[in-house]
Amino acid sequence: MAKPKIGIYGLTGCGGDQLMILNLENELLDLLRNVEIVAFQEASSVQQDEEVDIAFVEGSVSTELDLERLKDVRKRSRMLIAIGDCAIGGCVQAMRNQEMTMKEKMEEVYGKGEEYFKVLEPYGLSKYVNVDLELQGCPIETTEIRQVFLSLLHGDTPEIKDYPVCVECKLNEYQCLLVDKGMPCLGPIIAAGCNARCPGLGIDCVGCRGPIMNETNAAEELHTLLEKGYDERYIENRLRFFGANFEGILKLSKMLREKTGGARGK
Amino acid sequence: MTSESLDAFVNNLETYGKIYGPVKTGESCSFQEISQSKEMALNYSRTMIPPKKFFLKLKERMFIFDERECEYEETLEDGKIVVFGIHPCDIYALKLMDKIYLDKNPDKYYQMRRENATLIGYSCHPDEYCFCQSQGTNYAVDGFDLFLHELKDKFLVRIGSEKGNKIASENSKFFMDVESSDIQEFREAEGKREKEFTLKLAINGLTDMLALSYESDVWKEYADKCFGCGSCNLVCPTCRCYDVVDNVNMDLKSGERQRMLNSCMLKKHGLVYGGKNFRPTRVERLRNRFNCKGSLREDMMNCVGCGRCTVYCPSKIDYVEVLRRVRGEL
Ligand code: SF4
Ligand code: SF4
Ligand code: SF4
Ligand code: SF4
């Protein structure tokens, strides 16, 4: 059987997810025995724009160029896998989505009248194209991407962790920081996969892996943290940091905006 | 047995394996390996993770396999343990787990660990979350090797098995005959304890009440509060669902099979081949969980009233309150 052809591409993002693939260091050569990599933006200047079996795409769609490249990759790939939060929900780049226009944002950063890029409001890939699999994380975990590679090569469906960080806390018998200490942990609405790294170190989860798809009970997270005495705006910012484009959080933001008549502090 | 003998007695248990007892870990308690009795917090209310973890591990590797040879090798570790300080509710919970994992088709892993374990029960006092009295699980009649009831300056020790009898005779120097004054003290302590329970749940006919409440709005109301985080199941001493995952190695031929505890509050629990899901929404999952807990396994209800699910729910969903709402009491 011919080796599957793989392309690894990046749109707007920090490059961290591609780096996590490179972090497989000790096993990269073994992996290469099983696949043929035709493009790997961060690792090689050789970029062949040919058809691929699996395309891994990192980064959000934040410019028209991103969108063009994404559509091109989609056309050329049998399977498209979004890697990292940017490619799924826009991640930190989307933090201020709907709060201010792109024009306002550009002016605030680059000054009036300048137009360096043709920008779009940051979103994940699935807003524009069909995505076959989404691998959450900011960045993704090496263990996870490794498992995705191996599962696909073995002919299985990769196991995607679509349950909260709380599960991993319990499986590791970590003390619950929210219940026991009243810390503003977002774990109940955030996708697992990090093996509850932060709670294991006594630090509350800020949600870097992003909210759980179609399961995010953001209203209850707000309610829970309000009850513990946290400020509404603080909680909202915390929720929007990695998850502003997620349905439950969007709805919540809208509701809060309406409540305060649009007058929000920064 | 006198209170002063506890230390020496616990030390002597070493011949039965590594000793685990309730240890304070931050604000919670956890069964951990100990080397001396004073490391234990024997007046603990409940551990977050129940002693079930010794028998049905939180996560474990079951075996390694090689497709080329069509071979697999079980990776059972085989060590003797003593679990010291188990409360009555958790003893009942293990009896329930035994029905599931030992009767009919025994689970090898569970069975081996169960056979390797010595259980020493320990008396307790209820807090505002305990409702074992309502569930009939506040006094362990059997299911342990020894049970220590703490009295003023001594323990009244009950023997629950042949192994318990053997331990007692090997340690006879610590044990004294029971005097009528001891019986009097024990009776008074138990009578007092019975009156300490404040949380009550009427369980008569609960199973039917749940079945009749299938369409109740209560489920939707609590499902709106629920995160679907699975904590309630993962801390429950009677929850027994697990998930199995195969991890293949780089050679794509060999690998390992893992299993870890799972929760019916998670989306994937009801997922079957073809992408269909029995319980796609939290309403269905929450209702399922309460129906499972409120159902009977032979003569035992699938809840022992330990209070863990209420205490560790990040959304403060109160188990007893939900069932009282279902019964129409609130
Ligand atoms: S510490 Fe956070 S992630 Fe862990 S169980 Fe508690 S709420 Fe969930
Ligand atoms: S912030 Fe949350 S999701 Fe990110 S690594 Fe820490 S615990 Fe995991
Ligand atoms: S359902 Fe709740 S109270 Fe009942 S045994 Fe489980 S954790 Fe304890
Ligand atoms: S612990 Fe509470 S929030 Fe989490 S799944 Fe159970 S009932 Fe829902």
Side-chain angles (χ1 to χ4, degrees):
Chain A
M1 202 179 81
K3 291 181 188 177
K5 282 188 186 168
I6 307 270
I8 301 168
Y9 310 93
L11 305 177
T12 299
C14 71
D17 302 295
Q18 294 185 67
L19 189 62
M20 293 312 265
I21 299 178
L22 285 172
N23 275 352
L24 282 168
E25 283 165 353
N26 294 338
E27 292 181 306
L28 268 183
L29 291 178
D30 293 323
L31 193 64
L32 282 173
R33 245 179 255 142
N34 292 309
V35 299
E36 183 190 342
I37 295 186
V38 300
F40 192 161
Q41 196 165 312
E42 196 163 293
S44 165
S45 51
V46 181
Q47 305 287 335
Q48 288 155 269
D49 289 342
E50 55 184 289
E51 305 234 319
V52 294
D53 293 299
I54 311 172
F56 291 92
V57 180
E58 165 202 89
S60 71
V61 178
S62 293
T63 65
E64 282 178 15
L65 183 64
D66 285 339
L67 186 55
E68 231 172 82
R69 293 191 53 219
L70 173 65
K71 285 184 173 160
D72 170 53
V73 169
R74 176 70 275 193
K75 242 186 281 161
R76 294 190 282 111
S77 54
R78 279 176 58 201
M79 185 177 203
L80 187 137
I81 302 182
I83 51 170
D85 289 354
C86 291
I88 295 167
C91 197
V92 287
Q93 299 147 47
M95 199 189 296
R96 290 283 171 253
N97 276 17
Q98 297 95 26
E99 283 191 3
M100 53 205 297
T101 63
M102 283 316 288
K103 190 159 179 289
E104 285 167 338
K105 275 187 244 181
M106 290 302 277
E107 280 179 5
E108 183 142 350
V109 177
Y110 296 104
K112 270 196 197 333
E114 303 285 355
E115 202 179 296
Y116 295 107
F117 320 99
K118 288 190 180 139
V119 290
L120 297 171
E121 190 160 61
Y123 280 98
L125 316 182
S126 64
K127 183 179 165 77
Y128 300 104
V129 298
N130 244 338
V131 175
D132 299 298
L133 197 73
E134 295 186 317
L135 200 57
Q136 289 183 255
C138 180
I140 53 170
E141 301 280 330
T142 26
T143 45
E144 253 184 322
I145 187 80
R146 178 184 184 277
Q147 221 34 65
V148 166
F149 271 122
L150 295 178
S151 296
L152 288 171
L153 287 168
H154 191 252
D156 309 325
T157 313
E159 208 237 337
I160 294 295
K161 303 209 163 81
D162 58 352
Y163 49 78
V165 179
C166 300
V167 171
E168 293 179 333
C169 273
K170 296 294 176 293
L171 294 183
N172 283 300
E173 219 180 334
Y174 293 151
Q175 185 183 15
C176 180
L177 304 173
L178 184 80
V179 168
D180 280 348
K181 292 185 184 289
M183 287 162 80
C185 189
L186 298 190
I189 59 165
I190 300 300
C194 58
N195 203 16
R197 180 177 288 125
C198 298
L201 296 166
I203 302 163
D204 42 317
C205 171
V206 290
C208 80
R209 290 186 55 86
I212 305 157
M213 224 60 73
N214 309 320
E215 270 289 305
T216 306
N217 193 347
E220 184 55 30
E221 184 72 33
L222 174 74
H223 175 243
T224 298
L225 297 187
L226 281 175
E227 252 191 5
K228 303 222 179 278
Y230 294 97
D231 172 70
E232 188 176 278
R233 184 61 179 159
Y234 167 76
I235 305 165
E236 194 199 350
N237 274 337
R238 203 173 161 85
L239 290 170
R240 292 180 59 94
F241 201 97
F242 290 98
N245 274 341
F246 280 77
E247 197 196 328
I249 293 174
L250 267 179
K251 247 206 286 192
L252 188 76
S253 278
K254 192 158 167 263
M255 188 207 51
L256 294 175
R257 235 183 349 257
E258 277 160 13
K259 199 179 81 182
T260 51
R264 313 301 305 271
K266 282 222 178 109
Chain B
M1 183 168 77
T2 61
S3 304
E4 293 99 65
S5 317
L6 185 68
D7 242 353
F9 173 64
V10 170
N11 281 341
N12 275 0
L13 289 173
E14 253 172 33
T15 46
Y16 289 87
K18 283 187 182 165
I19 306 168
Y20 291 83
V23 169
K24 198 129 186 56
T25 46
E27 283 75 10
S28 294
C29 267
S30 160
F31 279 98
Q32 296 290 334
E33 194 180 341
I34 53 144
S35 53
Q36 285 177 51
S37 75
K38 63 168 186 291
E39 291 163 32
M40 293 189 278
L42 283 168
N43 58 353
Y44 77 109
S45 54
R46 61 180 69 69
T47 54
M48 178 177 80
I49 300 293
K52 157 184 103 173
K53 71 171 180 181
F54 293 112
F55 311 108
L56 186 62
K57 298 256 178 187
L58 296 167
K59 51 182 175 185
E60 66 175 331
R61 182 162 85 180
M62 301 178 80
F63 53 78
I64 48 176
F65 58 83
D66 196 321
E67 292 174 4
R68 284 162 300 207
E69 319 285 333
C70 279
E71 269 176 8
Y72 76 102
E73 187 191 323
E74 279 170 347
T75 46
L76 290 163
E77 3 113 21
D78 172 27
K80 292 205 181 315
I81 61 166
V82 178
V83 188
F84 195 98
I86 304 197
H87 288 168
C89 58
D90 285 343
I91 291 175
Y92 273 97
L94 285 177
K95 282 175 62 173
L96 195 71
M97 294 296 273
D98 287 353
K99 285 188 202 290
I100 293 147
Y101 280 98
L102 296 182
D103 294 359
K104 289 195 191 131
N105 299 307
D107 178 287
K108 255 201 239 191
Y109 299 79
Y110 182 93
Q111 186 172 36
M112 184 204 68
R113 292 174 187 140
R114 202 66 176 82
E115 281 163 5
N116 277 339
T118 304
L119 302 184
I120 315 278
Y122 200 90
S123 58
C124 52
H125 292 277
D127 68 7
E128 67 269 38
Y129 299 104
C130 297
F131 60 103
C132 51
Q133 190 185 43
S134 302
Q135 298 285 358
T137 53
N138 61 327
Y139 187 89
V141 186
D142 55 8
F144 52 82
D145 296 302
L146 290 176
F147 197 106
L148 273 58
H149 290 269
E150 198 182 3
L151 299 178
K152 207 153 86 242
D153 49 11
K154 55 171 90 73
F155 296 102
L156 185 126
V157 182
R158 283 188 292 138
I159 293 172
S161 70
E162 262 172 48
K163 197 203 261 177
N165 202 12
K166 186 163 166 272
I167 299 172
S169 46
E170 283 163 7
N171 288 280
S172 58
K173 61 172 186 255
F174 300 125
F175 293 96
M176 304 159 295
D177 287 336
V178 179
E179 314 245 337
S180 61
S181 60
D182 300 331
I183 297 171
Q184 181 59 19
E185 199 188 336
F186 176 58
R187 194 185 290 139
E188 276 166 22
E190 283 303 303
K192 194 163 153 271
R193 177 170 177 267
E194 288 293 327
K195 294 202 189 81
E196 287 168 7
F197 288 90
T198 50
L199 187 61
K200 315 248 163 167
L201 173 70
I203 63 159
N204 289 343
L206 186 62
T207 308
D208 286 350
M209 282 302 155
L210 279 161
L212 293 170
S213 307
Y214 194 80
E215 304 288 347
S216 166
D217 296 335
V218 172
W219 305 123
K220 164 90 177 69
E221 196 182 307
Y222 284 100
D224 280 347
K225 269 183 77 56
C226 174
F227 289 115
C229 76
S231 294
C232 46
N233 298 120
L234 295 166
V235 301
C236 177
T238 68
C239 275
R240 71 287 312 239
C241 289
Y242 61 76
D243 193 14
V244 173
V245 190
D246 284 353
N247 296 319
V248 277
N249 295 333
M250 257 318 151
D251 59 21
L252 301 177
K253 297 291 174 209
S254 62
E256 56 160 19
R257 175 160 296 179
Q258 268 196 324
R259 77 168 163 186
M260 56 273 273
L261 286 191
N262 200 259
S263 151
C264 61
M265 293 307 298
L266 306 182
K267 195 161 51 178
K268 250 190 208 147
H269 193 273
L271 187 69
V272 290
Y273 180 77
K276 293 268 177 292
N277 198 320
F278 289 113
R279 294 181 285 272
T281 69
R282 277 202 296 274
V283 177
E284 288 148 324
R285 282 178 249 150
L286 196 82
R287 181 174 56 206
N288 170 74
R289 176 180 152 236
F290 278 90
N291 272 278
C292 176
K293 295 289 124 185
S295 66
L296 295 166
R297 183 100 197 168
E298 292 160 27
D299 55 344
M300 273 178 84
M301 199 165 266
N302 280 306
C303 164
V304 293
C306 72
R308 286 183 176 93
C309 54
T310 301
V311 173
Y312 291 104
C313 173
S315 166
K316 292 195 178 154
I317 292 177
D318 184 321
Y319 181 86
V320 171
E321 181 190 293
V322 173
L323 288 178
R324 294 184 67 188
R325 287 284 309 281
V326 167
R327 290 196 83 116
E329 290 172 12
L330 293 177

